[in-house]
Amino acid sequence: MAKDKLKRWAENKTFDHVFEPNLLPIIKEGKTFMKGEWRSKFFKNNHPLVIELGCGKGEYTVQLAEANPNINYLGIDVKGHRFNHGARIAKAKGLKNVAFLRTRIEFIEAFFDTNEVDEIWLTFSDPQPKDDIGLKRITSVFFWKKYASFLKENGIIHIKHDNPMIYESAMEELDTTPFVIQSHSADVYGDYIKKVDSKWKSILSIRTYYESRWLEEGKKIHYVRFKARNLQGWSNSIV
Ligand SMILES: C[S@@+](CC[C@H](N)C(=O)[O-])C[C@H]1O[C@@H](n2cnc3c(N)ncnc32)[C@H](O)[C@@H]1O
């Protein structure tokens, strides 16, 4: 396994669609990386930008990119050997609208400027059950404030998860946020997927590595989609 990780890390360095910036200047000196420049410097177009946080192997990033060539996708995870799977597939398929970024989500504001991101996917994020105030849980309002600093007005946040706590707490905390629920289900593969239109059917049918594991264990998959309203100023306000 260690050997495999080394191989994957080495391969990432050869990919021009993988970004693995040194975090020290970002943490210590407040430097930024590609902030406001993803479209102009990497994608070289003005298409929408969708990011997947905690992307793991990057199934959503790659499969959505393949289905939507006019949308840019960026998978983000702290574990480069995981998203190496997606980066390899994107390269093999010749996808030009996919990139991966290795960082901790805690520093996400260093990578995106105001109004730079159209949509955020949070797929099977670590539930962090001991994190009472949400300083580690990337689905918490603490993190949503960071996301609000770069998400567009009317931008979308999607959460797909096996753990009802994540789904319910995000919906409960809604009152303190400028987001409204667009759609949700506590059992995606039950009645819900039969009722949504074909576009959403194919989007929600994408299965991540962790999702497949939880489905094998008989767990239900939850999904909720939020839309941003009146975001301005919220990211700087006190929760
Ligand atoms: C349970 S896995 C889910 C992976 C993938 N989305 C899936 O569904 O298969 C959670 C992922 O989030 C990443 N992660 C957790 N906390 C993170 C953080 N603070 N910053 C960046 N990545 C993080 C982990 O490295 C891991 O790949």
Side-chain angles (χ1 to χ4, degrees), residues 13-82:
K13 291 192 195 311
T14 70
F15 288 154
D16 62 7
H17 61 309
V18 168
F19 296 85
E20 302 188 303
N22 181 356
L23 281 184
L24 273 186
I26 290 170
I27 300 165
K28 288 198 163 171
E29 298 159 36
K31 291 250 161 82
T32 61
F33 182 85
M34 292 287 280
K35 186 168 177 150
E37 299 179 332
W38 289 101
R39 287 181 181 81
S40 60
K41 283 203 172 154
F42 177 72
F43 294 109
K44 303 205 184 334
N45 60 43
N46 211 16
H47 297 165
L49 176 60
V50 177
I51 64 175
E52 183 186 4
L53 301 178
C55 68
K57 296 185 177 189
E59 291 88 348
Y60 259 86
T61 296
V62 172
Q63 291 183 49
L64 287 175
E66 201 173 2
N68 304 288
N70 291 331
I71 300 179
N72 302 320
Y73 291 89
L74 181 61
I76 303 174
D77 203 291
V78 71
K79 295 192 174 160
H81 63 279
R82 286 207 176 149

Side-chain angles (χ1 to χ4, degrees), residues 52-59 76-79 82 103-106 123-126 128 136 138 143 208-211 214:
E52 183 186 4
L53 301 178
C55 68
K57 296 185 177 189
E59 291 88 348
I76 303 174
D77 203 291
V78 71
K79 295 192 174 160
R82 286 207 176 149
T103 187
R104 294 202 65 83
I105 313 295
E106 281 77 356
T123 49
F124 300 87
S125 311
D126 290 326
Q128 306 282 4
K136 291 185 185 157
I138 64 172
F143 278 88
T208 72
Y209 171 75
Y210 275 88
E211 180 169 4
W214 306 141

